[in-house]
Each structure stands twice: as structure tokens, then as C-alpha cells.
Amino acid sequence: MSVTAAKGFTAAGVAAGIKESGGEDLALVVNNGPRRAAAGVFTANRVKAAPVLWSQQVLKGGAVSAVVLNSGGANACTGPLGFQDTHATAEQAASVLGLGAGEIAVCSTGLIGTRLPMDRLLPGVEEAAGRLSEYGGEKAALAIKTTDTVHKTAVVRGSGGWTVGGMAKGAGMLAPSLATMLVVLTTDADLDSAALDGALRDASRTTFERIDSDGCLSTNDTVLLLASGAAEVVPDGTEFTEAVRTVCDDLAQQLIRDAEGASKDIRIEVRNAASEDDAVEVGRSVARSNLLKCAVHGEDPNWGRVLSAIGTTGAVFEPDRLGVAVNGVWVCRNGSVGEDRDKVDMRYREVGITVDLAAGPESAVIWTNDLTADYVHENSAYSS
Amino acid sequence: MSVTAAKGFTAAGVAAGIKESGGEDLALVVNNGPRRAAAGVFTANRVKAAPVLWSQQVLKGGAVSAVVLNSGGANACTGPLGFQDTHATAEQAASVLGLGAGEIAVCSTGLIGTRLPMDRLLPGVEEAAGRLSEYGGEKAALAIKTTDTVHKTAVVRGSGGWTVGGMAKGAGMLAPSLATMLVVLTTDADLDSAALDGALRDASRTTFERIDSDGCLSTNDTVLLLASGAAEVVPDGTEFTEAVRTVCDDLAQQLIRDAEGASKDIRIEVRNAASEDDAVEVGRSVARSNLLKCAVHGEDPNWGRVLSAIGTTGAVFEPDRLGVAVNGVWVCRNGSVGEDRDKVDMRYREVGITVDLAAGPESAVIWTNDLTADYVHENSAYSS
């Protein structure tokens, strides 16, 4: 159902010829109102792609009427001419849709450092506009794929007749990211941009910002939430935020499960931390240990590599009070050998690592993947 | 020549049966004086192995008469009993050598979380003591290997008849480390512990601390510098520090060239930084980008991944002034496309990446390796 699950939205996906493969590579999502409220969160990378710089400006206006998304090129590190390309894309969409360019967000994904083929992209925008449909959500989700093996969509229905829907591409996170993550969420709830912004930031913080496939932060990550108000319902704020969080969590899980080359999804739960920040710092450090990620790939419950990673953080803990469980078996207790590691069964795709910091009441969950020869292959051959 | 190149030192390496392979796994280095001055630098990991905790205490006394080193087990995360094992190792060496245990440093490397087989290790110490020789440096260097494919030694002769020699194992750095790095340096120069400490910290800072194979920080990293005074020469301070730096740099290069699974050695030079700290931060961020390391493995001059990594740092720079050269070809200028990437020849093992921050006069060089399927294989099979 994707971005057209919510009333008031139409979408399309077309093959504009940006990708050499000839597959779908251009998506258009249009908010037909009556509202055009919007919120967005963007990559924390200081090197930002042209479409990120553009869309951040658009969001400041508080209204987004349409989003143009392309795969096949990130339009990052392309200088002033790259920014002009993004501007021209928005102008083209504005022209064919009868809107102002300042209400058109743009998202791009693909190789960095290459100009987009505007001679194909601009006609693609016109073609997509001609194919807009309230059934176009799936097509749009397909058109933003790069190395994704599947397209990713999610929908939650709220009480009282409103809906949150969404689509995502990528296999990573907002910060950091494996490949660029692009997400468009839509709702027909009747909310203003400030309410959307609060819900989106709250939901992202514990979903997209807690998946970390390979520790690399993209120049293009963008998450947008658009509201049409077409359901004519003002939802309860808490219920709405939870609905957005559910959609974000669903999409985040789909991103992790489709991470490049991964054979295991690793859920790292950090318990008994002195603060939530400590729990996140420890979880992220464990998630970024290449040695641990290799061990999980080899189905080796190598808790020493977990402790090594914890030891690089500034979190509150005493080394001789640390505990680590792998799939429920506490292989490390009090910073030393615990239960028999042979009890650990790691044959399934999901692997749970629990870290006990024995330092307080807070906790957090970070998701990552294993490191595999397929990851190396995919990322050493990507641009050649 | 290794640690016995300097006068006043004897060494030995034996197969004590700690390694299941039956290879050499225990080394002993003895300083026969007349001085027993010493300095050391240790892992920054807050989870420290028992031998690190022990040796840090020994160094506080300012005198080291002998070093016992074992491969086949890191004695990390082994609790109070593991610390007792290290203590017993020092006591055994003290007993057979007629020294005090408080002057015996201990280094261990191998799997974390496993107790050492003391019933084999302690007789091994006695056997090694019986084989001490001024020609034993190579044997000692062999006995500390784990996944190293070659043993690593270096020697520099100073003017006036003094020498600095050394041995190393591992394929990483002091902070962080691929596998544990153990280094013992010896000199017959007549220097006290304070002078050694200054020279060692100065030399380590720009050598061992600037190699970063896989971003993982070991629990066991130890670098020791021992002085016997047997040459009866007090060297010029600057010349001595440069000699120590040369030996450290030589060993550091050997570590990088032997990094697990690596097919490329990557020299990252960061130029025109506002501060040396900025240069190091940027170099390390680039060195830790799995995406870049995969690209180099694929001989792909993917400068976009370099810019992505720079963008995650707090260094002073403007995105549109950044430059990146790969093997001398400035593929990125002013944050955008530069020279033709097809001009870049990446067929050789050493790959040079130059980053121009255009922000000041400082610079730094960080070394790393590519990320390969062999790395994944070696580290997913290591303990199984």
C-alpha cells in the first residue's frame, strides 16, 4: 500500500533511463491536500548531497506538495551544477503539477560524485506526473531501489479512520548508513507541521537512528512525513506518534533484513545502563565491531569481542561486573567466563546479544548485521 | 636481530604446549643490566587483560628485568583467577631467574575469555630460562606470533655504539587494534626510565597509534622499551628518540603489511588541516570506512566514500573546498568531480589517498588496509 495508503496521496514510478539497467528509477509522490503539512529529518553528515540541501530549505517553508525521488545517482559532491540539477528537477515537477518549486522536495540515491542525466530525468518527471494514481505506491517504492533486493512498505491504521503509510529504500540508517536510506511517510490525519515534526523525531530516534549496518554515514539520508488532512480526523497525539513509530520500526526492520550481503540480523540490547545515552553508545560500539560481526557470521558466540567493544566507550561500567548473553545464554558473567558457550544456538538468522552494564536502570536496542564476504564483494564491485 | 641486537639482553622462544598446534608459544626476554630502566604504553581499552594490569603495576616501579610473553591465549576477561595466573607466571620467572616478581612484565595474546594452561606455561618459563641466549631474539619473535604470517623485528644503530632493537606481533595498532599488538624494544643506551618514557610516547604517537587495520581496540596491546645501559653511552636525546621512532615505524609498517586478510596497504595523508588532531581524526575516520576499504579492495578510486567519511568528523573544513587524490590523481577538487578517475592506477599493493582539507597548515598520515573476504573468513573462523 505504501505512500498511497493514506487518503489524499497519489504516486507513480517510472523508468526514466537514469539507471543503465533500464529499471524503474524515478518516483513521484503528490500530496493532494487539503493540507500540505510536512516534517523531515536528514543525514547528520556534514557533506550533504544537493537534494538534501534543497529539501532542507523546502521543509523550512513548512509545506511539501510533492516529492521527486530518483535512484541511479546520488547527486552528491557534484558542486553548484549538481545543486542546479536538483533545482531544475523541482522546477520541472512544479511546472507539470501546477505547483511552486519551493513546495517540491527532492531525494536522490546512487553513486556519489556523478551528475544526473537531466536529459532523461526531466522527461521522466513529466511521465511520472502523467501516471499518478492512488494505486501508485508500490510502483514508487520499486523505483527508489538501488541494491535493495525487495521494495519496502508499511501501513498502520489509526482509530477514527486515519492512516500512516510509507516506503523506504536502503539498507542502513539515518546516521550512519550502509547505503543511502530514503523514506517517505504519508498520513491523512489532520495535523500541522509542528505536530508532524515532533512525532517524526520521536519515532526516528528509536527506530531509524538505532539501526547501524556498517557504520558508514550517507550524504543523502532523508526521511519525510507528509500530511494531507484528507481523513478529516485530528488523531490523539500519543496514538499518532506510536503509529508513526510502528511504521518506522517496520521499515527499519525491513532495511536491516535486506542489508547488503548480510546473513544475520543482530539485535543488541544494552540493559542496566546509567543513562539511555550510555546504552546507545555501548550498543553502537558493539554494532560497529568488525571482529564481532565476523564472529557472528561464523556462528561463534565470541563474547570477548563484545567486551572489547564495550571497553572503548565512555559509558559508566566496571569491567568486572559486565555480563553478555548470546541468544539467552549468559556466556559472560562478572566480566569473565559464564555459561558454557556450547549451549548457544546461532543457526538462525536473528541473533540476540544482551549486554548487562550493571550500572543503572536504562536500556536501548541497536540492530546491526554480520560482516560477510558478500558484503565485501558487493561494495568492492559497486561502481566498477 | 630483534631484541638481542642491543647488548645486555638475552632471549629465548620455546614451544610450551599452550598452542594446540605445538608451535613456539612462549618467549622470554631478559635485561642483564647493568641498568633495568623501562617504559611502557598500553591499550586504551577500559577492559584490560590481566597481564596489562600486572605490567602497568610493574612499570610504576620503574624497573623491568625480564618480560614473559605467551601466544595461544590472551588471559583477558578471566577474572581474579586470570590475574593470579599472570602473577604466578611472574613468580615463576622470578624464581628461575633469581629476580623479584615485581620486576617481571608479562604479555599475553590469543583468544579472550579462556584461562591459560598453567600446567604447561610454568614449565615453559623454566625451559625458556634454560635456553636464554644473546642469539635468542629471532626465536622470541617467532614465539609471540598468532595469526601473523611472518615474525617482525627491526634494528637501528646509533652513533657512538648504542643500538635499539625490537620485535612485534599482531596486525594492528595500539589504539585501536586488529589483533593484539605486542612489542618489546630494547636498547643498550644508558638512559633512565623517564628518558625512555619520553622517547617511547613520542615515537608511538606517530607510528603505532597511526595504524588502524580494522578499528577494533584490543584488551592486550603492550609496547615496552627496556634499557640495559650495557653500551655505556648516553645518547643525544633527539637522536635516541628518532632511533626509537624509526624502529617503531619499521615494526608498524610490518604490522600493516601482515594485517589479516589484507591485499592492499592504504596510506592516508591528510594535508592542510587546521590542527594535527583534525588531521588524525579525519585520517582515522577514512581508515575506518568499511565502504572505502571495500572500494580499495576492488581497485575503485571511490572518492565519494572518502568525502562521506570526512563528513562524519568534527574537523574544520568546508565541504566545497575538499580535495581527494588517489595515487596522485586529484579525482576530487572543491568537493566535486576532479581529474578523470580512469587515470588512477590501483594495481599495486600500496594505495595512497591524499585528503586536502584546505583549512590550515597541519598534516598527519594514517595507515590502514582494505577489507576483504579473507578478513571475514579469518575472523569468522578464528575461535571455532
Side-chain angles (χ1 to χ4, degrees):
Chain A
M1 293 292 285
S2 181
V3 290
T4 46
K7 287 189 281 287
F9 291 90
T10 49
V14 300
I18 307 166
K19 280 181 182 166
E20 289 187 8
S21 68
E24 284 95 346
D25 48 20
L26 192 134
L28 185 59
V29 180
V30 177
N31 182 353
N32 301 295
R35 269 193 188 276
R36 268 88 179 185
V41 287
F42 298 90
T43 180
N45 201 311
R46 290 171 59 200
V47 176
K48 296 187 203 305
V52 169
L53 295 170
W54 172 267
S55 297
Q56 284 182 322
Q57 286 300 318
V58 169
L59 263 291
K60 283 184 185 164
V64 173
S65 299
V67 189
V68 182
L69 307 96
N70 76 274
S71 51
N75 197 10
C77 306
T78 44
L81 294 175
F83 191 82
Q84 287 179 24
D85 290 341
T86 292
H87 188 177
T89 302
E91 289 284 0
Q92 170 76 346
S95 167
V96 298
L97 295 169
L99 300 165
E103 295 171 40
I104 314 285
V106 180
C107 303
S108 299
T109 178
L111 266 185
I112 299 177
T114 307
R115 294 278 302 281
L116 291 169
M118 297 303 290
D119 57 331
R120 297 177 211 164
L121 193 151
L122 295 180
V125 171
E126 186 170 6
E127 184 188 349
R131 297 193 184 193
L132 283 168
S133 149
E134 61 192 76
Y135 305 104
E138 298 289 335
K139 272 277 196 184
L142 282 164
I144 58 175
K145 285 171 56 186
T146 53
T147 57
D148 307 67
T149 62
V150 292
H151 65 292
K152 290 122 181 154
T153 66
V155 174
V156 167
R157 306 285 182 189
S159 61
W162 54 272
T163 294
V164 179
M167 66 178 184
K169 70 76 48 181
M173 68 175 303
L174 198 63
S177 158
L178 172 63
T180 293
M181 182 180 74
L182 300 182
V183 178
V184 179
L185 307 173
T186 56
T187 184
D188 44 22
D190 189 12
L191 291 167
D192 63 17
S193 295
L196 297 180
D197 189 67
L200 181 60
R201 284 181 195 282
D202 198 355
S204 293
R205 194 178 64 83
T206 56
T207 56
F208 296 126
E209 291 181 21
R210 295 204 180 160
I211 59 175
D212 190 336
S213 281
D214 72 350
C216 293
L217 177 60
S218 163
T219 51
N220 288 56
D221 292 330
T222 302
V223 182
L224 300 174
L225 170 57
L226 315 182
S228 69
E232 298 179 355
V233 181
V234 179
D236 172 74
T238 306
E239 187 190 352
F240 181 73
T241 298
E242 280 311 306
V244 175
R245 192 195 315 280
T246 300
V247 171
C248 291
D249 197 41
D250 188 337
L251 292 172
Q253 291 299 314
Q254 293 181 52
L255 293 171
I256 277 287
R257 287 199 295 276
D258 197 28
E260 290 172 348
S263 71
K264 302 280 189 192
D265 306 328
I266 310 173
R267 180 184 189 273
I268 301 162
E269 180 180 350
V270 182
R271 292 183 189 170
N272 301 322
S275 67
E276 187 175 348
D277 283 352
D278 272 12
V280 171
E281 183 189 359
V282 167
R284 199 177 290 289
S285 179
V286 173
R288 291 185 183 178
S289 166
N290 278 351
L291 288 175
L292 176 69
K293 289 154 74 89
C294 287
V296 171
H297 180 54
E299 303 187 347
D300 167 14
N302 196 321
W303 57 268
R305 293 175 179 178
V306 178
L307 257 62
S308 296
I310 299 169
T312 64
T313 71
V316 176
F317 69 85
E318 293 299 323
D320 60 2
R321 294 193 66 199
L322 294 171
V324 177
V326 181
N327 282 351
V329 180
W330 287 90
V331 285
C332 170
R333 288 188 195 277
N334 298 318
S336 182
V337 185
E339 290 183 68
D340 183 358
R341 44 171 284 152
D342 290 342
K343 289 183 183 169
V344 181
D345 182 353
M346 296 177 74
R347 287 173 298 171
Y348 301 98
R349 184 171 174 104
E350 185 174 322
V351 172
I353 294 176
T354 313
V355 172
D356 184 348
L357 291 180
E362 300 300 329
S363 64
V365 173
I366 299 281
W367 284 85
T368 188
N369 300 103
D370 57 343
L371 182 57
T372 70
D374 286 347
Y375 173 87
V376 173
H377 176 72
E378 190 154 348
N379 286 296
S380 55
Y382 184 69
S383 81
S384 49
Chain B
M1 295 291 287
S2 180
V3 289
T4 48
K7 287 189 281 288
F9 291 90
T10 50
V14 300
I18 306 165
K19 280 181 181 167
E20 288 186 10
S21 67
E24 285 95 346
D25 49 20
L26 192 132
L28 186 59
V29 180
V30 177
N31 181 352
N32 302 292
R35 269 193 187 275
R36 268 85 178 186
V41 287
F42 298 91
T43 180
N45 201 310
R46 290 170 60 200
V47 176
K48 294 186 203 306
V52 169
L53 296 170
W54 172 268
S55 297
Q56 285 182 320
Q57 286 300 316
V58 169
L59 263 291
K60 282 185 185 164
V64 173
S65 299
V67 187
V68 183
L69 308 96
N70 75 273
S71 53
N75 197 11
C77 307
T78 44
L81 295 174
F83 191 81
Q84 287 179 28
D85 290 343
T86 292
H87 189 178
T89 302
E91 288 284 0
Q92 169 77 346
S95 168
V96 298
L97 296 168
L99 300 165
E103 294 171 41
I104 314 286
V106 180
C107 303
S108 299
T109 177
L111 266 184
I112 299 177
T114 307
R115 294 276 304 280
L116 291 168
M118 297 303 289
D119 57 330
R120 296 176 213 166
L121 192 150
L122 295 181
V125 172
E126 188 170 4
E127 184 188 349
R131 299 195 182 190
L132 283 168
S133 151
E134 59 192 79
Y135 305 104
E138 298 290 333
K139 272 278 197 185
L142 283 164
I144 58 175
K145 285 171 54 187
T146 53
T147 56
D148 307 67
T149 62
V150 292
H151 65 292
K152 290 124 183 153
T153 66
V155 174
V156 167
R157 307 285 183 190
S159 61
W162 54 272
T163 294
V164 179
M167 65 178 185
K169 69 79 45 179
M173 69 174 302
L174 198 63
S177 158
L178 171 62
T180 292
M181 182 181 73
L182 300 182
V183 177
V184 180
L185 308 172
T186 57
T187 183
D188 45 20
D190 189 12
L191 292 167
D192 63 16
S193 296
L196 298 179
D197 190 66
L200 181 59
R201 286 182 193 283
D202 198 357
S204 293
R205 192 178 65 82
T206 55
T207 55
F208 296 128
E209 293 183 20
R210 296 203 180 161
I211 57 175
D212 190 336
S213 281
D214 72 350
C216 293
L217 177 59
S218 163
T219 51
N220 287 56
D221 292 330
T222 302
V223 182
L224 300 173
L225 171 57
L226 316 181
S228 70
E232 298 178 355
V233 181
V234 179
D236 172 74
T238 304
E239 188 190 351
F240 181 73
T241 297
E242 280 310 307
V244 175
R245 193 196 313 279
T246 301
V247 171
C248 290
D249 197 40
D250 189 338
L251 292 172
Q253 292 298 316
Q254 293 182 51
L255 292 171
I256 278 289
R257 288 199 295 274
D258 197 27
E260 291 173 346
S263 71
K264 301 281 190 192
D265 307 328
I266 310 171
R267 181 184 189 274
I268 301 161
E269 179 180 351
V270 181
R271 291 183 190 170
N272 302 323
S275 68
E276 187 176 349
D277 284 351
D278 271 12
V280 171
E281 183 189 358
V282 167
R284 201 178 289 291
S285 179
V286 174
R288 290 187 183 176
S289 166
N290 278 351
L291 288 176
L292 176 69
K293 289 153 74 89
C294 286
V296 171
H297 179 53
E299 301 186 347
D300 166 16
N302 196 319
W303 57 269
R305 293 176 179 178
V306 178
L307 258 61
S308 295
I310 299 169
T312 65
T313 71
V316 176
F317 69 85
E318 293 299 324
D320 60 3
R321 295 194 65 198
L322 294 171
V324 177
V326 181
N327 283 350
V329 181
W330 288 90
V331 285
C332 169
R333 288 189 195 276
N334 298 319
S336 184
V337 185
E339 290 183 67
D340 185 357
R341 45 170 285 151
D342 290 342
K343 290 182 184 169
V344 181
D345 182 354
M346 296 178 74
R347 287 173 298 172
Y348 300 98
R349 184 172 175 103
E350 187 175 322
V351 173
I353 293 176
T354 313
V355 173
D356 184 347
L357 291 180
E362 301 299 328
S363 64
V365 173
I366 298 280
W367 285 86
T368 189
N369 300 103
D370 58 342
L371 182 58
T372 70
D374 286 348
Y375 173 87
V376 173
H377 177 72
E378 190 155 347
N379 285 296
S380 54
Y382 185 69
S383 80
S384 49

Short mmCIF file of all heavy atoms in Angstrom, two decimals, chain A residues 13-27 68-73 107 109 117 120-121 124 139-140 142-145:
data_model
loop_
_atom_site.label_atom_id
_atom_site.label_comp_id
_atom_site.label_asym_id
_atom_site.label_seq_id
_atom_site.Cartn_x
_atom_site.Cartn_y
_atom_site.Cartn_z
N GLY A 13 5.76 5.47 -10.34
CA GLY A 13 7.15 5.08 -10.52
C GLY A 13 7.38 4.75 -11.96
O GLY A 13 6.57 4.01 -12.56
N VAL A 14 8.43 5.30 -12.56
CA VAL A 14 8.68 5.06 -13.98
C VAL A 14 10.16 4.77 -14.23
O VAL A 14 11.01 5.02 -13.37
CB VAL A 14 8.27 6.29 -14.84
CG1 VAL A 14 6.79 6.61 -14.66
CG2 VAL A 14 9.14 7.50 -14.50
N ALA A 15 10.44 4.24 -15.40
CA ALA A 15 11.82 4.01 -15.83
C ALA A 15 12.21 5.18 -16.72
O ALA A 15 11.83 5.24 -17.90
CB ALA A 15 11.92 2.69 -16.58
N ALA A 16 12.97 6.11 -16.13
CA ALA A 16 13.33 7.32 -16.88
C ALA A 16 14.62 7.14 -17.66
O ALA A 16 14.98 8.00 -18.46
CB ALA A 16 13.47 8.49 -15.91
N GLY A 17 15.32 6.04 -17.43
CA GLY A 17 16.59 5.83 -18.12
C GLY A 17 17.80 6.35 -17.35
O GLY A 17 18.90 6.46 -17.90
N ILE A 18 17.61 6.63 -16.07
CA ILE A 18 18.74 7.07 -15.25
C ILE A 18 19.63 5.87 -14.93
O ILE A 18 20.85 5.94 -15.02
CB ILE A 18 18.23 7.73 -13.94
CG1 ILE A 18 17.24 8.84 -14.25
CG2 ILE A 18 19.40 8.26 -13.11
CD1 ILE A 18 16.43 9.32 -13.04
N LYS A 19 19.00 4.77 -14.57
CA LYS A 19 19.74 3.52 -14.34
C LYS A 19 20.10 2.88 -15.67
O LYS A 19 19.26 2.79 -16.57
CB LYS A 19 18.87 2.52 -13.57
CG LYS A 19 18.78 2.74 -12.08
CD LYS A 19 17.90 1.63 -11.48
CE LYS A 19 17.73 1.80 -9.99
NZ LYS A 19 16.64 0.94 -9.48
N GLU A 20 21.32 2.42 -15.77
CA GLU A 20 21.73 1.74 -17.01
C GLU A 20 20.94 0.46 -17.24
O GLU A 20 20.76 0.01 -18.37
CB GLU A 20 23.23 1.43 -16.98
CG GLU A 20 24.08 2.69 -17.10
CD GLU A 20 25.55 2.39 -17.24
OE1 GLU A 20 25.91 1.20 -17.40
OE2 GLU A 20 26.34 3.35 -17.20
N SER A 21 20.46 -0.14 -16.15
CA SER A 21 19.72 -1.40 -16.26
C SER A 21 18.38 -1.22 -16.97
O SER A 21 17.79 -2.20 -17.43
CB SER A 21 19.46 -1.95 -14.86
OG SER A 21 18.55 -1.10 -14.16
N GLY A 22 17.89 0.03 -17.01
CA GLY A 22 16.59 0.24 -17.65
C GLY A 22 15.41 0.04 -16.72
O GLY A 22 14.26 0.14 -17.15
N GLY A 23 15.67 -0.25 -15.46
CA GLY A 23 14.58 -0.47 -14.50
C GLY A 23 13.96 0.84 -14.02
O GLY A 23 14.43 1.93 -14.36
N GLU A 24 12.90 0.72 -13.23
CA GLU A 24 12.28 1.92 -12.67
C GLU A 24 13.30 2.69 -11.86
O GLU A 24 14.08 2.10 -11.09
CB GLU A 24 11.11 1.55 -11.74
CG GLU A 24 9.84 1.12 -12.46
CD GLU A 24 9.74 -0.38 -12.58
OE1 GLU A 24 10.78 -1.06 -12.36
OE2 GLU A 24 8.64 -0.87 -12.89
N ASP A 25 13.32 4.00 -12.02
CA ASP A 25 14.34 4.78 -11.33
C ASP A 25 13.86 6.17 -10.93
O ASP A 25 14.64 6.97 -10.42
CB ASP A 25 15.62 4.90 -12.18
CG ASP A 25 15.30 5.32 -13.62
OD1 ASP A 25 14.21 5.88 -13.85
OD2 ASP A 25 16.14 5.08 -14.49
N LEU A 26 12.57 6.45 -11.16
CA LEU A 26 12.06 7.76 -10.78
C LEU A 26 10.68 7.63 -10.17
O LEU A 26 9.80 6.98 -10.75
CB LEU A 26 12.02 8.69 -12.00
CG LEU A 26 11.78 10.15 -11.58
CD1 LEU A 26 12.73 11.08 -12.31
CD2 LEU A 26 10.33 10.56 -11.82
N ALA A 27 10.53 8.18 -8.96
CA ALA A 27 9.25 8.10 -8.26
C ALA A 27 8.74 9.50 -7.98
O ALA A 27 9.52 10.43 -7.79
CB ALA A 27 9.41 7.33 -6.94
N VAL A 68 9.95 14.32 -5.44
CA VAL A 68 10.53 13.61 -6.58
C VAL A 68 11.71 12.80 -6.04
O VAL A 68 12.58 13.36 -5.35
CB VAL A 68 11.05 14.57 -7.66
CG1 VAL A 68 11.60 13.78 -8.85
CG2 VAL A 68 9.96 15.54 -8.09
N LEU A 69 11.75 11.52 -6.32
CA LEU A 69 12.85 10.67 -5.85
C LEU A 69 13.44 9.95 -7.04
O LEU A 69 12.71 9.45 -7.91
CB LEU A 69 12.37 9.63 -4.84
CG LEU A 69 11.57 10.13 -3.63
CD1 LEU A 69 10.08 10.00 -3.90
CD2 LEU A 69 11.94 9.35 -2.36
N ASN A 70 14.77 9.89 -7.09
CA ASN A 70 15.39 9.08 -8.14
C ASN A 70 16.42 8.14 -7.56
O ASN A 70 17.12 8.49 -6.60
CB ASN A 70 16.03 9.96 -9.22
CG ASN A 70 17.34 10.57 -8.78
OD1 ASN A 70 17.33 11.64 -8.16
ND2 ASN A 70 18.46 9.91 -9.07
N SER A 71 16.53 6.97 -8.15
CA SER A 71 17.67 6.10 -7.93
C SER A 71 18.59 6.25 -9.14
O SER A 71 18.29 6.99 -10.07
CB SER A 71 17.21 4.65 -7.73
OG SER A 71 16.36 4.25 -8.79
N GLY A 72 19.76 5.59 -9.08
CA GLY A 72 20.67 5.68 -10.22
C GLY A 72 21.67 6.81 -10.14
O GLY A 72 22.49 6.99 -11.04
N GLY A 73 21.65 7.58 -9.06
CA GLY A 73 22.62 8.67 -8.90
C GLY A 73 22.27 9.47 -7.68
O GLY A 73 21.10 9.85 -7.48
N CYS A 107 14.71 13.84 -3.52
CA CYS A 107 15.58 12.84 -2.90
C CYS A 107 16.30 12.07 -4.01
O CYS A 107 15.68 11.71 -5.01
CB CYS A 107 14.79 11.82 -2.08
SG CYS A 107 13.77 12.53 -0.78
N THR A 109 19.43 8.89 -4.81
CA THR A 109 20.27 7.83 -4.25
C THR A 109 20.98 7.09 -5.36
O THR A 109 20.45 6.94 -6.46
CB THR A 109 19.43 6.85 -3.41
OG1 THR A 109 20.27 5.80 -2.93
CG2 THR A 109 18.31 6.23 -4.23
N PRO A 117 21.72 12.40 -15.31
CA PRO A 117 21.39 12.62 -16.73
C PRO A 117 20.08 13.38 -16.82
O PRO A 117 19.00 12.78 -16.96
CB PRO A 117 21.29 11.20 -17.28
CG PRO A 117 20.87 10.37 -16.11
CD PRO A 117 21.45 11.02 -14.89
N ARG A 120 17.29 12.83 -19.33
CA ARG A 120 16.35 11.72 -19.14
C ARG A 120 15.47 11.94 -17.91
O ARG A 120 14.32 11.55 -17.88
CB ARG A 120 17.12 10.40 -18.97
CG ARG A 120 17.91 10.05 -20.21
CD ARG A 120 18.72 8.80 -20.00
NE ARG A 120 19.94 8.87 -20.79
CZ ARG A 120 21.01 8.09 -20.61
NH1 ARG A 120 20.99 7.17 -19.66
NH2 ARG A 120 22.06 8.21 -21.36
N LEU A 121 16.09 12.55 -16.89
CA LEU A 121 15.37 12.72 -15.64
C LEU A 121 14.16 13.65 -15.80
O LEU A 121 13.05 13.36 -15.33
CB LEU A 121 16.32 13.23 -14.56
CG LEU A 121 15.81 13.16 -13.11
CD1 LEU A 121 16.97 12.98 -12.14
CD2 LEU A 121 15.01 14.40 -12.73
N GLY A 124 11.32 12.18 -17.44
CA GLY A 124 10.81 11.17 -16.51
C GLY A 124 9.84 11.77 -15.51
O GLY A 124 8.83 11.14 -15.15
N LYS A 139 4.57 1.05 -7.08
CA LYS A 139 5.46 1.42 -8.19
C LYS A 139 6.51 2.42 -7.72
O LYS A 139 7.68 2.34 -8.08
CB LYS A 139 4.63 2.04 -9.32
CG LYS A 139 4.08 1.03 -10.30
CD LYS A 139 5.14 0.68 -11.35
CE LYS A 139 4.51 -0.02 -12.55
NZ LYS A 139 5.56 -0.44 -13.51
N ALA A 140 6.07 3.37 -6.91
CA ALA A 140 7.02 4.37 -6.39
C ALA A 140 8.07 3.68 -5.52
O ALA A 140 9.27 3.99 -5.61
CB ALA A 140 6.27 5.44 -5.59
N LEU A 142 9.13 0.68 -5.73
CA LEU A 142 10.05 -0.08 -6.60
C LEU A 142 11.08 0.84 -7.25
O LEU A 142 12.24 0.47 -7.43
CB LEU A 142 9.24 -0.79 -7.69
CG LEU A 142 8.52 -2.08 -7.27
CD1 LEU A 142 7.47 -2.46 -8.32
CD2 LEU A 142 9.53 -3.21 -7.07
N ALA A 143 10.66 2.05 -7.58
CA ALA A 143 11.52 2.94 -8.37
C ALA A 143 12.67 3.53 -7.56
O ALA A 143 13.62 4.06 -8.14
CB ALA A 143 10.69 4.07 -8.97
N ILE A 144 12.62 3.44 -6.23
CA ILE A 144 13.70 4.02 -5.43
C ILE A 144 14.73 2.98 -4.99
O ILE A 144 15.69 3.31 -4.29
CB ILE A 144 13.16 4.81 -4.20
CG1 ILE A 144 12.31 3.91 -3.30
CG2 ILE A 144 12.38 6.02 -4.67
CD1 ILE A 144 11.86 4.62 -2.00
N LYS A 145 14.55 1.73 -5.39
CA LYS A 145 15.51 0.68 -5.04
C LYS A 145 16.88 0.93 -5.70
O LYS A 145 16.94 1.41 -6.83
CB LYS A 145 15.01 -0.69 -5.50
CG LYS A 145 13.90 -1.27 -4.68
CD LYS A 145 13.32 -2.52 -5.34
CE LYS A 145 14.39 -3.58 -5.62
NZ LYS A 145 13.85 -4.71 -6.39
#
